[in-house]
Amino acid sequence: MNDDLKAAVRSRCRKMEIPLVGVAGTDRWENPPFSPWMPEEFYPQSIFPEARSVIVIGLPVHLPVLETSPSIYYHELYKTVNTLLDQYTYRLASFLNDCGYPSVFVPRDGYGSIEVLQKNPIAFFSHRHAALLAGLGTFGVNNTLLTPEYGPRVRFGSVLTAADLPPDPLREENLCTRCMLCVSACPVGALDDLDYPEGLTDKAACARNSADLARRHISPCGICIKVCPVGEDRRHYGRKAPGGGEDPRHRRAREHVGKFGGL
């Protein structure tokens, strides 16, 4: 395995100020950590047959902005983070190509619009599962990936590469506390039925809510990730977990932002 190349990839990520980076071998999709698992057509080697490794990067969603959600503020942050993820993963893939290893980036969302999601609520590749297999976090009740640094307030992008890179260890500790704050806070009850057959999230209800917010120009929702108590970012910003008492200044700021920029 190419330790020097992995070190070079991490060095480039540091220069691009990417805080989270992990690597998974494509064999991990064939030996998943739990079941049921995704169909084989969603494996990275099915999408890019040359793939031997998947590099996953993560960028944080800044908690004070997210606290205003749904809002134009969070809407703009969401777009910015997605754009950066696409740019950074493209640049990493180009670097690996220049080093002689066929590589491709995977676009952050991989679907055309909220209307498309309502009819076909699955993208062709799951960055969340890639991040899990790259050792960056564990799944929470709301079906998002929780990280020690940011809880679920992080978005991921992936690079599929023919380079055989040393994989990072899977995270063994389950970060989810099962506090169920995300379940109770969901405005459309998309997390109420924990036996929902498509996972823990009612994707249709979530997509309908996103479509409504999009018509008001303040999508996405973000509520289930803003209430999660997991993540060092809460300590960094001095934000207590929901129910622990809110600073009146934070509430005034949130209410001010919510009055503008959307319908």
Side-chain angles (χ1 to χ4, degrees):
M1 290 188 177
N2 201 326
D3 292 275
D4 290 341
L5 182 61
K6 182 177 179 180
V9 167
R10 287 192 172 276
S11 176
R12 295 186 77 87
C13 288
R14 284 193 296 271
K15 290 178 181 178
M16 289 189 285
E17 299 176 335
I18 299 169
L20 299 182
V21 185
V23 175
T26 54
D27 60 310
R28 286 185 175 173
W29 275 259
E30 299 170 354
N31 301 281
F34 56 81
S35 62
W37 191 244
M38 68 186 73
E40 186 176 350
E41 63 186 302
F42 293 94
Y43 293 8
Q45 56 269 47
S46 297
I47 297 166
F48 184 57
E50 295 82 357
R52 298 287 300 280
S53 304
V54 179
I55 302 167
V56 185
I57 65 170
L59 298 180
V61 174
H62 298 153
L63 179 56
V65 179
L66 174 63
E67 284 178 335
T68 69
S69 67
S71 68
I72 192 65
Y73 202 179
Y74 177 47
H75 172 82
E76 295 294 342
L77 174 62
Y78 185 89
K79 291 195 303 180
T80 298
V81 172
N82 279 0
T83 298
L84 288 171
L85 284 169
D86 286 348
Q87 291 178 350
Y88 291 161
T89 50
Y90 175 85
R91 291 171 64 181
L92 287 174
S94 296
F95 166 70
L96 290 163
N97 283 322
D98 290 343
C99 291
Y101 299 95
S103 305
V104 295
F105 92 110
V106 181
R108 172 58 200 97
D109 283 334
Y111 58 86
S113 66
I114 292 297
E115 287 72 25
V116 171
L117 271 187
Q118 287 183 282
K119 296 180 180 179
N120 186 19
I122 301 177
F124 69 83
F125 183 76
S126 172
H127 297 285
R128 293 179 300 112
H129 287 81
L132 170 78
L133 295 178
L136 294 179
T138 62
F139 280 112
V141 166
N142 64 352
N143 216 18
T144 64
L145 198 82
L146 309 186
T147 66
E149 299 86 353
Y150 310 107
R153 294 168 290 278
V154 56
R155 295 183 64 72
F156 300 103
S158 305
V159 174
L160 314 183
T161 179
D164 191 10
L165 301 174
D168 289 301
L170 296 177
R171 184 167 293 277
E172 296 182 1
E173 177 191 4
N174 187 352
L175 298 173
C176 181
T177 66
R178 297 191 67 82
C179 66
M180 301 301 171
L181 286 173
C182 57
V183 175
S184 59
C186 179
V188 293
L191 304 172
D192 285 350
D193 185 357
L194 298 185
D195 294 322
Y196 191 77
E198 294 301 323
L200 298 181
T201 306
D202 183 342
K203 295 176 183 177
C206 191
R208 286 194 299 271
N209 185 48
S210 293
D212 177 63
L213 294 174
R215 286 188 288 270
R216 297 165 57 195
H217 306 285
I218 54 172
S219 63
C221 173
I223 289 176
C224 71
I225 66 173
K226 79 176 180 181
V227 300
C228 181
V230 178
E232 284 298 310
D233 56 339
R234 286 201 171 276
R235 182 184 60 81
H236 172 74
Y237 286 112
R239 257 59 174 185
K240 297 180 181 179
E246 183 182 23
D247 188 322
R249 298 173 302 168
H250 298 162
R251 184 181 65 254
R252 287 196 298 269
R254 185 183 70 248
E255 291 173 350
H256 166 72
V257 170
K259 295 176 182 177
F260 303 95
L263 299 177

